[in-house]
Amino acid sequence: MTGSPRILLVDDEPSIREPLAAFLKVEGFVPTPAPDAAEARRLLTGERFDLALVDVMMPGEDGLSLAKHLVAEHDLPVILLTAKTDDIDRIVGLELGADDYVGKPFNPRELTARIKAVLRRAGRASGAEEEAGAELRFDDLVLSPEEMTLTGRGGKAIELTGGEFRLLLVLAERAGRVVSRDDLLELTQNRTAQIFDRSVDNQISRLRRKVERDPGKPSLIKTVRGGGYSMAAKVERR
């Protein structure tokens, strides 16, 4: 496909639907929110979508019924969202043709990775999305978004926490650009900074100890006074 992937986002909770739509837009998708199945069906009569995110528990027509319709009538890839942990719902959803199943609460970065994976499997990923799944190489390090691994100098694996991995990925994907602390919190933890919040700074310090040649004189992750942080290395995608 060409252009940014168009996502139909169906969830009756505004507190989930609206922030998630905003996040997906930042990540390069074109989200169209719908509060229920009826609105989703209406939108499908006049718009084209590449994937649907569908909440299972909704008033009126539930997400499983809508997912069945999306798969059978529109051949649309579907990822189900639900707060329920019942394996029966998950199995039923997958048997109906859903491509994936994500439980609430979820990390938006993980959901983004799932979306990209489903789009690639369905052959609907744009050139930009295919590129986003490629390995990122910088300063003899290899960061793999697909495997969620970092290979160090000499080919040895470097163990990162989930938060450290997301932080490094955000900076590497935006190499040469300054990313503010607020944006780093939003992109990696889906929350806003509180007064005296130093979680990003502490995480950067730990990350530097793992990836910098000389953590005392960082050359990869630079601090920008009053701005945030920036990946200074040249990043190649392969």
Side-chain angles (χ1 to χ4, degrees):
M1 61 165 287
T2 59
S4 300
R6 298 180 60 84
I7 309 296
L8 176 60
L9 170 56
V10 192
D11 196 305
D12 64 303
E13 297 183 46
S15 61
I16 293 176
R17 186 177 67 248
E18 294 171 6
L20 182 54
F23 181 83
L24 291 173
K25 187 174 181 180
V26 170
E27 289 297 299
F29 299 104
V30 180
T32 299
D36 52 35
E39 176 64 9
R41 286 177 178 264
R42 188 191 69 78
L43 288 168
L44 285 161
T45 63
E47 298 188 42
R48 174 192 61 79
F49 297 99
D50 299 296
L51 180 142
L53 297 174
V54 179
D55 181 31
V56 171
M57 298 297 293
M58 294 188 294
E61 182 183 6
D62 66 24
L64 293 177
S65 173
L66 177 61
K68 182 178 180 180
H69 172 76
L70 295 175
V71 173
E73 301 299 326
H74 298 273
D75 191 27
L76 191 63
V78 175
I79 296 178
L80 294 172
L81 308 175
T82 182
K84 297 185 68 174
T85 58
D86 192 341
D87 282 343
I88 297 299
D89 274 351
R90 179 178 61 83
I91 292 169
V92 169
L94 296 176
E95 287 180 344
L96 289 174
D99 295 83
D100 206 346
Y101 196 98
V102 179
K104 298 176 182 178
F106 50 81
N107 184 290
R109 297 289 303 179
E110 178 185 353
L111 179 58
T112 299
R114 299 278 192 98
I115 291 172
K116 292 176 180 178
V118 170
L119 287 171
R120 282 192 292 273
R121 289 200 301 268
R124 300 190 182 209
S126 66
E129 290 303 314
E130 290 173 351
E131 183 178 312
E135 291 181 339
L136 304 176
R137 296 172 178 258
F138 50 95
D139 197 48
D140 296 329
L141 301 173
V142 180
L143 188 67
S144 172
E146 288 294 298
E147 302 296 329
M148 293 190 69
T149 58
L150 176 67
T151 304
R153 303 169 186 94
K156 185 178 180 180
I158 298 176
E159 291 191 10
L160 300 178
T161 66
E164 290 167 351
F165 181 87
R166 291 190 294 272
L167 188 58
L168 185 59
L169 180 60
V170 166
L171 291 171
E173 287 178 335
R174 295 159 177 79
R177 294 160 50 189
V178 178
V179 187
S180 71
R181 289 174 177 82
D182 287 348
D183 286 344
L184 285 171
L185 271 175
E186 176 66 27
L187 290 168
T188 63
Q189 300 180 35
N190 192 34
R191 68 181 182 87
T192 56
Q194 304 297 316
I195 188 168
F196 303 129
D197 191 335
R198 293 190 56 80
S199 60
V200 166
D201 304 285
N202 294 334
Q203 208 165 47
I204 288 287
S205 295
R206 294 194 297 270
L207 191 54
R208 281 172 170 163
R209 289 197 290 270
K210 296 181 179 182
V211 304
E212 295 281 1
R213 295 179 184 272
D214 182 356
K217 298 179 180 178
S219 60
L220 291 179
I221 304 174
K222 293 286 192 179
T223 301
V224 181
R225 186 179 297 276
Y229 294 96
S230 174
M231 171 66 73
K234 178 181 179 182
V235 177
E236 297 180 349
R237 298 179 184 269
R238 295 183 184 179

